[in-house]
Amino acid sequence: MITLLLASAALAVSRGHAQSVPTKYTLTEEAGDGNSLSFRVKRHTADRFYLMFSFTAVENAANPGHAVALVDRDGEIFRLEPSDPGQAVRAAYTTYFSIYPMVEQIDSTLVYRLPFEAGKTVTANATALEQSRHPVHGYPTISKGAFSFSVESGDLIFPVMDGIVTEFINKYDPQAENPSTHSKLTVEHPDGSIAEYRPKPHMRYFVKQGDRVSRRQPIGVIDDAGTGSKKLDFKISYRKITAKENGYGSQTVNINPVFATSAGQVSLEKDGSYTVTEDPSWK
């Protein structure tokens, strides 16, 4: 996915190439036994976080596509073994990491904001909600997709939680290097959750990638561009990191947490109508 594009490596011989995110980690490549390629991390923080590799090209080794490492100590986190031990492994990849520390259990008192202006009444056109609970955090999980809200021109869109914008795609941007078929804004939150906003057809954005956002400050406004019905597709998810025999795997789980509404703190129901409120504790 997408989000959190922080560092990349060109196709190169396995020795001597380093990547560094000064506040988080330094990643180095080393030639291992039998011409394997070892990836090692030196942490600059005591936080646990995940580091994902998206491999775009691999020579003389099986291409894993994506590989996930749970970084909780210094040292080797991932290794590519050569197909031919007599030749070096080469790899081109992109790395992604979680900005905030990973947590085992979030604070149950956290309350999310509905992504609209206080006082606005909205209907949540959600996909069917599963009866099971999120395995770590206890929230109901969403079986497919997320919520879809009807919107009108002039509607302000707010972040559901304070956080950092980790991905910003505006399909109407004429200066975009890689044009997209959709617009999307992704925000990572301190509790480890991720919110994704997909306005259709168009939203004028007030923020950019890397900006810090607050629940009391709008991130954009629905404008008059485009034709047809206007809506905001929206979801909150967690990235679940699980141990596997050969490392770690990741899974994105969409959740339905507690939102502040005029009727109290509730999880949303399909076709339910809710009036947006602000919690006095929000900054």
Side-chain angles (χ1 to χ4, degrees):
M1 150 169 62
I2 61 147
T3 77
L4 315 182
L5 176 57
L6 269 292
S8 61
L11 191 62
V13 179
S14 61
R15 296 176 177 80
H17 189 90
Q19 301 173 24
S20 179
V21 178
T23 60
K24 203 75 171 180
Y25 68 90
T26 297
L27 175 67
T28 58
E29 304 168 14
E30 295 182 8
D33 297 339
N35 268 326
S36 63
L37 179 58
S38 172
F39 298 89
R40 303 181 66 86
V41 161
K42 171 64 177 177
R43 295 186 304 163
H44 307 311
T45 172
D47 298 338
R48 298 168 67 245
F49 58 94
Y50 65 80
L51 182 62
M52 300 178 64
F53 294 79
S54 178
F55 288 89
T56 55
V58 174
E59 294 181 6
N60 193 36
N63 189 339
H66 286 79
V68 181
L70 180 60
V71 181
D72 56 5
R73 64 186 185 281
D74 295 344
E76 182 179 273
I77 58 171
F78 183 68
R79 178 181 293 227
L80 288 175
E81 297 292 345
S83 302
D84 177 0
Q87 300 292 326
V89 173
R90 297 169 178 262
Y93 57 90
T94 301
T95 54
Y96 307 77
F97 69 92
S98 52
I99 290 178
Y100 291 105
M102 295 186 64
V103 294
E104 299 298 333
Q105 181 68 46
I106 67 168
D107 185 347
S108 61
T109 63
L110 285 177
V111 179
Y112 290 74
R113 178 196 181 115
L114 285 167
F116 300 100
E117 195 166 9
K120 182 177 178 62
T121 299
V122 295
T123 299
N125 303 311
T127 55
L129 297 181
E130 296 176 353
Q131 297 304 309
S132 61
R133 312 291 290 188
H134 185 275
V136 175
H137 305 286
Y139 292 140
T141 60
I142 300 175
S143 58
K144 297 179 180 179
F147 297 100
S148 181
F149 298 93
S150 295
V151 294
E152 300 175 348
S153 297
D155 281 350
L156 290 171
I157 305 301
F158 288 75
V160 298
M161 182 73 70
D162 298 355
I164 296 176
V165 178
T166 53
E167 183 183 31
F168 174 51
I169 300 174
N170 183 359
K171 78 171 187 177
Y172 294 97
D173 182 3
Q175 306 300 320
E177 295 182 3
N178 300 302
S180 175
T181 58
H182 62 270
S183 295
K184 178 171 65 173
L185 185 76
T186 304
V187 177
E188 186 177 335
H189 311 134
D191 70 331
S193 63
I194 301 167
E196 183 178 300
Y197 309 81
R198 290 178 179 254
K200 300 177 181 179
H202 190 239
M203 181 166 81
R204 180 162 54 88
Y205 295 92
F206 302 154
V207 296
K208 63 185 182 303
Q209 186 169 331
D211 284 354
R212 292 185 177 273
V213 297
S214 162
R215 281 172 287 194
R216 288 190 177 273
Q217 298 295 324
I219 55 178
V221 60
I222 303 298
D223 66 18
D224 292 321
T227 59
S229 61
K230 300 179 185 297
K231 64 179 181 177
L232 174 71
D233 290 341
F234 158 76
K235 68 179 180 180
I236 301 175
S237 61
Y238 280 87
R239 184 169 294 281
K240 180 182 177 184
I241 307 299
T242 55
K244 300 170 63 176
E245 183 178 351
N246 59 345
Y248 291 90
S250 73
Q251 176 186 6
T252 299
V253 181
N254 298 333
I255 64 169
N256 181 14
V258 175
F259 294 90
T261 75
S262 61
Q265 298 174 3
V266 300
S267 291
L268 306 187
E269 297 182 0
K270 180 176 171 59
D271 299 326
S273 182
Y274 305 93
T275 300
V276 182
T277 61
E278 294 181 342
D279 190 292
S281 66
W282 297 345
K283 296 179 180 180

